[in-house]
Amino acid sequence: IFAAIGNGDIIYMAIKRKTKLKPAELMTLNLAIFDLGISVAGKPFFVVSSLAHRWLFGWYGCCLYGWGSFFFGCGSLCTMTVVSFDRYLKICHMRYGFWIERHHAMLSLLLVWLYAAFWATMPLVGWGSYAPEPFGTSCTLNWRLAQTSAASQSFILTILVFCLILPAGIIIFSYSRIIVKVKSSRKEISRFNKCDNNSHDVLEIKLTKVAMLICAGFFIAWLPYAIVSVVSAFGKPDSVPIPVSVIPTLLAKSSPMYNPIIYQLIAWKCSCAKSSRLKVFNRMKEHYPPRYKAPVMRKQAFLNHSHRAQWAQVKQTFKQTLMQKYAGLNINTAIK
């Protein structure tokens, strides 16, 4: 419930300003959509089956549940991979990072959806399969079939490479390079914090910190489940006791809840920093009142009136000079 409310609120706030969303915000919106899918598409089936102590929705329901869990989980990880690479370009290669616009982000996210849908659909067409978990109240990939089927074993190895190791490698590479870059330019970063002209770079670094926290939360939630699944696929039969397999599964299913908490903590921290700066500014105003300055409109009106008076005086003087010089002529003829 908390994950659905938190991610739903993020999506609602993004839709309200959909025409103004930047590429990084589009990626955050996509991540919230995948997390909402995990919490809405799968959690009700799991909760109802847990209350009945068995899977209640048949074989087709198991396949649908397994497809949704794999699709949204893989999409979430791939979205974080795109976010990490975007942060890497923005921080370490700014000349390329500034080229990334909305249509680039939209194309990247479309590829993420197609990529996740491809791998989630493979078990439905015969390469691998979905099956109930050992504790029997939810469904996932049939990890244990890898011990008896060469096709299932090849599928498990393939998705481990392309849906876990490769995205995790890109994420680790991107953020490690960012950390090295920030450490090597510490003096420059400290100057950014003091200079208003480089506020864009400070914003990019803050966005990178948020993305790193999100990725860390995802790996903390899913790595134990991945380890238990690999042991179940390639270890000895019944090498993982059923009570042990429940804890990583529950931890993985709680992953959609972490991102809204991270967003709220960052927003609360920023609002506290702004309020503290405002309090300091007001305290300075009380101790050091500014000198009186004439209002801009009043000053401008005074200058306009002064100019008009001087110009009227110049015209009157010129007119008198002409009348003295051309005393016998009409004043209009004299001016011509």
Short mmCIF file of all heavy atoms in Angstrom, two decimals, residues 20 46 82 141 146 148 173 177-178 183 202 229 311 326 332 336:
data_model
loop_
_atom_site.label_atom_id
_atom_site.label_comp_id
_atom_site.label_asym_id
_atom_site.label_seq_id
_atom_site.Cartn_x
_atom_site.Cartn_y
_atom_site.Cartn_z
N LYS A 20 6.96 20.01 -19.04
CA LYS A 20 8.18 20.64 -18.54
C LYS A 20 9.19 19.64 -18.01
O LYS A 20 10.22 20.04 -17.45
CB LYS A 20 7.84 21.65 -17.44
CG LYS A 20 6.91 22.77 -17.89
CD LYS A 20 6.60 23.71 -16.75
CE LYS A 20 5.65 24.82 -17.18
NZ LYS A 20 5.33 25.75 -16.06
N PHE A 46 -0.33 -12.13 -4.31
CA PHE A 46 0.55 -12.69 -3.29
C PHE A 46 -0.10 -12.62 -1.91
O PHE A 46 -0.04 -13.58 -1.13
CB PHE A 46 1.88 -11.93 -3.30
CG PHE A 46 2.80 -12.29 -2.18
CD1 PHE A 46 3.39 -13.54 -2.12
CD2 PHE A 46 3.08 -11.38 -1.18
CE1 PHE A 46 4.25 -13.88 -1.09
CE2 PHE A 46 3.94 -11.70 -0.14
CZ PHE A 46 4.52 -12.95 -0.09
N VAL A 82 20.02 3.04 -17.28
CA VAL A 82 19.98 4.22 -18.14
C VAL A 82 20.24 5.48 -17.33
O VAL A 82 20.97 6.39 -17.76
CB VAL A 82 18.62 4.30 -18.87
CG1 VAL A 82 18.50 5.60 -19.65
CG2 VAL A 82 18.45 3.11 -19.81
N LEU A 141 10.35 -17.34 -11.93
CA LEU A 141 11.02 -18.23 -12.88
C LEU A 141 11.27 -19.59 -12.24
O LEU A 141 11.55 -19.68 -11.04
CB LEU A 141 12.34 -17.60 -13.33
CG LEU A 141 12.24 -16.33 -14.17
CD1 LEU A 141 13.63 -15.73 -14.37
CD2 LEU A 141 11.61 -16.62 -15.52
N ALA A 146 16.43 -25.79 -13.98
CA ALA A 146 17.77 -25.73 -14.57
C ALA A 146 18.61 -26.95 -14.20
O ALA A 146 19.60 -27.26 -14.88
CB ALA A 146 18.48 -24.45 -14.14
N THR A 148 17.62 -30.00 -14.34
CA THR A 148 17.25 -31.16 -15.15
C THR A 148 17.08 -30.85 -16.63
O THR A 148 16.96 -31.79 -17.43
CB THR A 148 15.92 -31.76 -14.64
OG1 THR A 148 14.90 -30.74 -14.67
CG2 THR A 148 16.07 -32.25 -13.20
N PHE A 173 30.23 0.67 -12.93
CA PHE A 173 31.22 1.44 -13.70
C PHE A 173 30.88 2.93 -13.70
O PHE A 173 31.75 3.77 -13.48
CB PHE A 173 31.28 0.91 -15.13
CG PHE A 173 32.05 1.80 -16.08
CD1 PHE A 173 33.43 1.79 -16.09
CD2 PHE A 173 31.37 2.65 -16.94
CE1 PHE A 173 34.13 2.62 -16.96
CE2 PHE A 173 32.06 3.48 -17.81
CZ PHE A 173 33.45 3.47 -17.82
N ARG A 177 33.18 5.77 -11.76
CA ARG A 177 33.83 6.84 -12.53
C ARG A 177 33.39 8.22 -12.04
O ARG A 177 34.17 9.17 -12.01
CB ARG A 177 33.51 6.69 -14.01
CG ARG A 177 34.09 5.43 -14.65
CD ARG A 177 35.59 5.44 -14.61
NE ARG A 177 36.15 6.61 -15.32
CZ ARG A 177 37.42 6.95 -15.32
NH1 ARG A 177 38.28 6.26 -14.57
NH2 ARG A 177 37.83 7.98 -16.01
N ILE A 178 32.13 8.33 -11.65
CA ILE A 178 31.64 9.61 -11.12
C ILE A 178 32.34 9.94 -9.81
O ILE A 178 32.74 11.09 -9.58
CB ILE A 178 30.11 9.54 -10.93
CG1 ILE A 178 29.42 9.53 -12.28
CG2 ILE A 178 29.62 10.72 -10.09
CD1 ILE A 178 27.94 9.27 -12.21
N LYS A 183 36.10 13.32 -6.84
CA LYS A 183 37.25 13.44 -5.95
C LYS A 183 38.40 14.18 -6.61
O LYS A 183 39.10 14.96 -5.97
CB LYS A 183 37.70 12.04 -5.51
CG LYS A 183 36.80 11.41 -4.47
CD LYS A 183 37.40 10.11 -3.96
CE LYS A 183 36.55 9.53 -2.84
NZ LYS A 183 37.12 8.27 -2.29
N VAL A 202 25.87 21.87 -9.76
CA VAL A 202 25.52 21.42 -8.41
C VAL A 202 24.26 20.56 -8.47
O VAL A 202 24.16 19.53 -7.80
CB VAL A 202 25.31 22.64 -7.49
CG1 VAL A 202 24.94 22.18 -6.09
CG2 VAL A 202 26.55 23.50 -7.46
N SER A 229 18.33 -17.67 -5.67
CA SER A 229 17.81 -18.27 -6.91
C SER A 229 18.92 -19.00 -7.66
O SER A 229 18.69 -20.10 -8.19
CB SER A 229 17.21 -17.18 -7.79
OG SER A 229 16.14 -16.53 -7.13
N TRP A 311 13.85 70.32 -20.91
CA TRP A 311 13.57 70.42 -22.35
C TRP A 311 12.63 71.57 -22.65
O TRP A 311 12.79 72.28 -23.65
CB TRP A 311 12.99 69.10 -22.83
CG TRP A 311 12.63 69.08 -24.29
CD1 TRP A 311 11.41 68.87 -24.82
CD2 TRP A 311 13.51 69.30 -25.39
NE1 TRP A 311 11.44 68.92 -26.18
CE2 TRP A 311 12.74 69.18 -26.57
CE3 TRP A 311 14.86 69.57 -25.49
CZ2 TRP A 311 13.28 69.34 -27.83
CZ3 TRP A 311 15.41 69.73 -26.75
CH2 TRP A 311 14.63 69.62 -27.91
N TYR A 326 14.67 87.41 -35.64
CA TYR A 326 13.76 87.64 -36.76
C TYR A 326 12.52 88.36 -36.24
O TYR A 326 11.42 87.80 -36.20
CB TYR A 326 13.37 86.32 -37.42
CG TYR A 326 14.55 85.51 -37.89
CD1 TYR A 326 15.04 84.46 -37.12
CD2 TYR A 326 15.16 85.80 -39.11
CE1 TYR A 326 16.12 83.73 -37.55
CE2 TYR A 326 16.23 85.07 -39.55
CZ TYR A 326 16.72 84.03 -38.76
OH TYR A 326 17.79 83.29 -39.18
N ASN A 332 6.65 81.11 -37.17
CA ASN A 332 6.71 79.82 -37.90
C ASN A 332 7.60 79.93 -39.11
O ASN A 332 8.36 79.02 -39.44
CB ASN A 332 5.31 79.40 -38.32
CG ASN A 332 4.44 79.07 -37.10
OD1 ASN A 332 4.96 78.59 -36.10
ND2 ASN A 332 3.15 79.34 -37.21
N LYS A 336 11.15 77.87 -39.89
CA LYS A 336 11.46 77.18 -41.15
C LYS A 336 12.77 77.67 -41.70
O LYS A 336 13.56 76.90 -42.25
CB LYS A 336 10.35 77.43 -42.14
CG LYS A 336 9.03 76.73 -41.79
CD LYS A 336 7.97 77.02 -42.83
CE LYS A 336 6.65 76.35 -42.46
NZ LYS A 336 5.59 76.61 -43.45
#
